[in-house]
Amino acid sequence: METGTEALISHLRDVLLELAANPYPEVACPPSAPRRASVALILRIQPNYSHWPARRRSSVASNSGHKLSFKDIIDTFFEQDWVKHGDPELLFIKRATRVGDKWTGHVALPGGKRDPEDEDDQVTAVREAMEEVGIDLSFSHAIAVGNLPQRIVTTSWGKVPLMVLCPYVYLLTSSEYPAQRLQPTEVASTHWVSLRALLSPVLRTYEYADVSNRLAKSELGIKRWFLQAMLSKMMFAAIRLVPSESTYCSSIPGFVPEGPAPNSSPIGKLKELLTGPEANYPVRQQPLLLWGLTLGVISDFLEHIPPHNALELWTYPTFTNWDVRFAMWAMSYRFRKQKVLDMSSTEGIATTRLAQDDVDATKTAKQDLPDSEGGEVEEPGEVGIAGLGVGRNWGKAGRAKLAARGAAVNSMLEGYYPIVRKAVATALVGRIAIVSLLVAYLWGRHRRRG
């Protein structure tokens, strides 16, 4: 009996082999931002009911005695019947609520800042996964696959670098859900989400974030006042997560909702009669939304998996106010059209070359990366509002790099945030002009009447 995930499992195997064979280069810290942080993308295979493992499986990696090559280990793991017909999943955390934390309550990946004692960025990812969620990513429990593009995280306007973020991919080798130990000060809950759900267009939605105060902090004087007073919420592309398994940290504040008892007054009963029983229970479970910085990292991974359709699933960040939104649409029109042409050309080139000779074409495309062209070092791109990455400098070799690496979302966002800044300024000037004309008109009528 086919489970419908066999093709996805096969693609996942190829992606893991490709990531291991072609690691992304390390991005150096900017002089003004020496901090580094790492996150772990933890993958597992959920067995299907019809292909359940007959007995508990021991780690493929530990059985190899460190003698098998990475490809041998991956092949051995994916040859198992329960893996062939399983459902690949990723682990997400929901951050605990903390005052002063700009990512408080967000969906994220296990991870944190690098300590001086950490030997390298990958050690940080392993340590943080153990400290935050209690999952052992050592050789006996997981396969260390490789990394995803590192990025420089900046302030909201992309002006001041904060840190370098380094994502690493791990594949758990057991057929059972790993036991977890959630750190109460960091993690409110964890959620395993199928890759099928992450790839589904049906679950694409928006997150509405109030970024006006954060944006205004980087400005001074009247410009700061206008940003605070006139900017609306911002719309970001998001994915609504549908977990297959969730674990909650019951010791965190707020796990059991606090607040007044249901209103039993006559007004409360009338409200319940008119709007339903839930009217007296204001606490509701908020949906799990993947967006911002974490979505940028996940998109780097998902773009390797067919149908490579991040372009069709993605929407550019914008504001909810109609005038700012129109200004951004108008000023970015040519930019967005050019991105569509670039991406379409890229897909055509990649399809043709890979059809002729998949392996040789992929290797050729990878040689076009700037960091291998005569020692030229590729500059990392900015990570703009809410941490959405723009990737690294694509330049003339962008098409070949996309065919080799798969980073459509990053390429689409490159150069977009400067347009955002100009559009916001244009809309604010437009508001001032309209208000000035209205005041002048009313003053003129008042004088004529006088």
Side-chain angles (χ1 to χ4, degrees):
M1 176 181 176
E2 294 298 308
T3 60
T5 59
E6 291 80 5
L8 180 57
I9 288 289
S10 177
H11 290 313
L12 177 62
R13 171 189 170 277
D14 295 339
V15 169
L16 299 185
L17 288 173
E18 196 274 337
L19 288 176
N22 301 278
Y24 285 90
E26 180 175 312
V27 172
C29 290
S32 59
R35 293 178 55 194
R36 302 181 73 84
S38 298
V39 293
L41 281 79
I42 304 176
L43 289 158
R44 73 173 299 273
I45 307 298
Q46 164 75 292
N48 183 273
Y49 177 83
S50 302
H51 298 271
W52 205 262
R55 58 184 177 84
R56 180 168 180 160
R57 302 281 177 164
S58 58
S59 169
V60 175
S62 62
N63 288 340
S64 69
H66 294 259
K67 295 180 181 179
L68 297 177
S69 67
F70 180 84
K71 185 177 185 305
D72 291 335
I73 294 174
I74 288 292
D75 288 344
T76 301
F77 177 78
F78 280 89
E79 284 172 1
Q80 300 175 92
D81 183 69
W82 69 271
V83 175
K84 289 180 180 179
H85 302 279
D87 194 14
E89 300 175 338
L90 260 173
L91 180 68
F92 294 94
I93 68 173
K94 188 175 188 298
R95 305 210 68 87
T97 301
R98 297 193 303 177
V99 178
D101 183 2
K102 65 173 62 178
W103 290 294
T104 181
H106 284 199
V107 170
L109 296 167
K113 66 179 182 179
R114 177 171 171 175
D115 288 346
E117 297 79 14
D118 293 338
E119 182 179 347
D120 54 33
D121 296 318
Q122 190 166 6
V123 169
T124 302
V126 174
R127 175 182 57 77
E128 287 286 341
M130 175 59 74
E131 291 179 0
E132 288 193 341
V133 297
I135 293 182
D136 187 354
L137 297 179
S138 64
F139 191 77
S140 59
H141 296 89
I143 301 173
V145 175
N147 68 340
L148 291 172
Q150 298 181 359
R151 63 192 71 206
I152 296 177
V153 181
T154 68
T155 57
S156 297
W157 281 123
K159 295 178 180 178
V160 180
L162 300 177
M163 64 179 177
V164 176
L165 183 66
C166 311
Y168 290 90
V169 181
Y170 290 87
L171 174 64
L172 300 182
T173 52
S174 172
S175 60
E176 300 181 352
Y177 280 112
Q180 296 183 47
R181 185 183 69 254
L182 307 189
Q183 188 176 21
T185 58
E186 300 287 343
V187 181
S189 57
T190 61
H191 308 273
W192 290 98
V193 179
S194 169
L195 293 188
R196 294 183 294 114
L198 296 174
L199 291 166
S200 171
V202 176
L203 295 175
R204 296 289 165 136
T205 183
Y206 297 96
E207 167 68 0
Y208 296 87
D210 186 1
V211 298
S212 58
N213 288 334
R214 190 185 306 172
L215 296 179
K217 289 180 181 178
S218 61
E219 307 296 345
L220 296 174
I222 191 171
K223 188 175 181 181
R224 176 174 181 174
W225 182 84
F226 272 119
L227 285 172
Q228 289 177 321
M230 297 187 176
L231 284 182
S232 60
K233 289 187 177 181
M234 208 170 179
M235 297 170 55
F236 293 95
I239 299 177
R240 183 167 58 87
L241 299 184
V242 181
S244 62
E245 177 87 2
S246 298
T247 302
Y248 294 87
C249 186
S250 60
S251 61
I252 64 170
F255 176 74
V256 177
E258 299 177 359
N263 191 350
S264 58
S265 66
I267 296 179
K269 290 187 177 298
L270 178 61
K271 186 177 180 182
E272 180 178 338
L273 180 64
L274 295 175
T275 61
E278 292 188 356
N280 287 324
Y281 297 88
V283 178
R284 291 182 174 86
Q285 186 70 31
Q286 296 297 318
L288 290 169
L289 293 183
L290 172 64
W291 67 288
L293 177 60
T294 305
L295 178 56
V297 173
I298 296 299
S299 297
D300 285 341
F301 178 74
L302 295 180
E303 189 56 33
H304 288 79
I305 303 174
H308 312 290
N309 61 347
L311 183 63
E312 290 78 12
L313 297 174
W314 193 263
T315 58
Y316 285 95
T318 186
F319 286 91
T320 52
N321 275 358
W322 70 268
D323 56 341
V324 183
R325 192 171 180 178
F326 176 79
M328 291 177 61
W329 175 84
M331 296 179 69
S332 66
Y333 181 81
R334 292 182 60 185
F335 168 86
R336 290 181 284 108
K337 288 294 183 183
Q338 186 60 47
K339 289 295 183 182
V340 171
L341 292 175
D342 292 344
M343 296 295 291
S344 299
S345 301
T346 300
E347 292 170 0
I349 293 173
T351 301
T352 302
R353 294 175 68 182
L354 294 176
Q356 293 174 351
D357 189 342
D358 183 72
V359 176
D360 290 341
T362 302
K363 289 181 179 179
T364 302
K366 290 179 178 60
Q367 292 173 358
D368 291 333
L369 285 165
D371 52 314
S372 63
E373 293 176 349
E376 180 183 349
V377 179
E378 193 174 1
E379 293 296 329
E382 72 173 25
V383 174
I385 297 173
L388 284 175
V390 296
R392 296 187 296 270
N393 181 19
W394 284 74
K396 296 180 180 179
R399 296 175 181 176
K401 283 188 285 183
L402 177 61
R405 310 304 290 171
V409 172
N410 283 349
S411 178
M412 290 164 62
L413 283 170
E414 183 182 11
Y416 181 69
Y417 287 115
I419 298 176
V420 172
R421 293 192 284 267
K422 293 177 182 178
V424 169
T426 300
L428 294 180
V429 170
R431 290 185 185 185
I432 295 173
I434 292 174
V435 172
S436 300
L437 290 174
L438 181 60
V439 170
Y441 171 74
L442 294 176
W443 176 251
R445 289 193 60 181
H446 175 72
R447 291 188 62 184
R448 285 194 298 271
R449 290 180 178 178

